[in-house]
Amino acid sequence: MSRIDDLIAEHCPNGVEYVPLGDLLDYEQPTPYLVSSQDYSDEFPTPVLTAGQTFVLGYTDEESGIYPASVKSPVMIFDDFTTAYKWVDFPFKAKSSAMKMLTLKQGAPALFRFVFYAMSCIDYVPVDHARHWISKYSYFKIPVPPVEVQREIVRVLDTFTELEAELKAELEARRHQYEYYRDRLLTFDEAPA
């Protein structure tokens, strides 16, 4: 039996309560944090984020209206149209007014990182171009076991997330190494005519 199985048997042998996301998370509109210029440069300090696949659109030199996320005070950014979301633990500016900033409600019976992982199990694909957080997504229920169980689940999933990132970095390094040797080994001087 795994450590998580032991914790479940000890702390919630009769199952767990399912709680709507809206009862666990507060949301904030991004209006005060929207970037006003699209003059991005890698030399600027503040990332401009989107919850979509691109995530970091660029960097801005704007100094006001920066969302103060940090490791101790993280936030999830949620794309209200696509329902994509990202974990953010650094200060940033937002690109889209269709984004929501999600934080754990005061007194919620959940760890914020646990809610982040639990949201990945929600099987929902939006079919219309509507704002989904308030109308639909905040009503989805997730299991909320006791905090001891949540903490162990988060520990395990964070470990695998770190390992996955290391494997991706290693694979990318090997890909560059392969390309270098391929190009060096398959480059020949042309024979004189």
Side-chain angles (χ1 to χ4, degrees):
M1 213 186 225
S2 75
R3 168 106 172 103
I4 294 172
D5 290 333
D6 292 341
L7 287 169
I8 289 170
E10 178 183 347
H11 294 285
C12 46
N14 299 321
V16 298
E17 181 182 2
Y18 278 67
V19 179
L21 288 172
D23 290 354
L24 299 171
L25 300 174
D26 281 324
Y27 76 90
E28 182 179 0
Q29 297 289 3
T31 307
Y33 313 107
L34 291 176
V35 67
S36 58
S37 168
Q38 290 190 14
D39 183 24
Y40 304 148
S41 170
D42 289 344
E43 296 177 12
F44 295 152
T46 306
V48 178
L49 304 184
T50 178
Q53 201 169 19
T54 306
F55 189 44
V56 178
L57 295 172
Y59 295 84
T60 183
D61 61 352
E62 293 179 24
E63 296 179 352
S64 64
I66 296 172
Y67 191 93
S70 67
V71 171
K72 291 188 179 208
S73 186
V75 65
M76 274 189 269
I77 57 174
F78 180 89
D79 186 309
D80 221 4
F81 293 130
T82 68
T83 70
Y85 62 95
K86 303 281 189 201
W87 182 266
V88 184
D89 57 8
F90 51 85
F92 66 93
K93 296 282 288 182
K95 172 61 179 158
S96 170
S97 63
M99 191 187 300
K100 297 273 190 281
M101 274 69 144
L102 305 178
T103 54
L104 192 65
K105 283 185 184 249
Q106 185 78 20
L111 300 174
F112 192 34
R113 189 77 170 167
F114 176 82
V115 175
F116 171 77
Y117 284 127
M119 285 172 59
S120 68
C121 295
I122 294 172
D123 188 21
Y124 175 72
V125 178
V127 292
D128 56 349
H129 191 71
R131 299 211 177 229
H132 294 278
W133 178 257
I134 294 171
S135 66
K136 184 90 172 159
Y137 214 87
S138 64
Y139 295 100
F140 288 124
K141 293 181 177 185
I142 62 167
V144 182
V147 171
E148 297 84 359
V149 177
Q150 292 179 46
R151 190 173 289 116
E152 182 64 10
I153 290 169
V154 167
R155 186 192 69 74
V156 168
L157 294 176
D158 277 348
T159 299
F160 277 104
T161 300
E162 290 171 22
L163 289 171
E164 182 182 34
E166 290 172 13
L167 286 171
K168 284 181 181 176
E170 177 71 17
L171 182 60
E172 186 63 24
R174 294 290 177 220
R175 185 174 293 120
H176 287 296
Q177 187 178 32
Y178 169 83
E179 290 169 359
Y180 170 80
Y181 282 108
R182 178 198 62 207
D183 294 347
R184 294 269 304 179
L185 294 173
L186 297 176
T187 303
F188 299 94
D189 292 331
E190 194 172 321

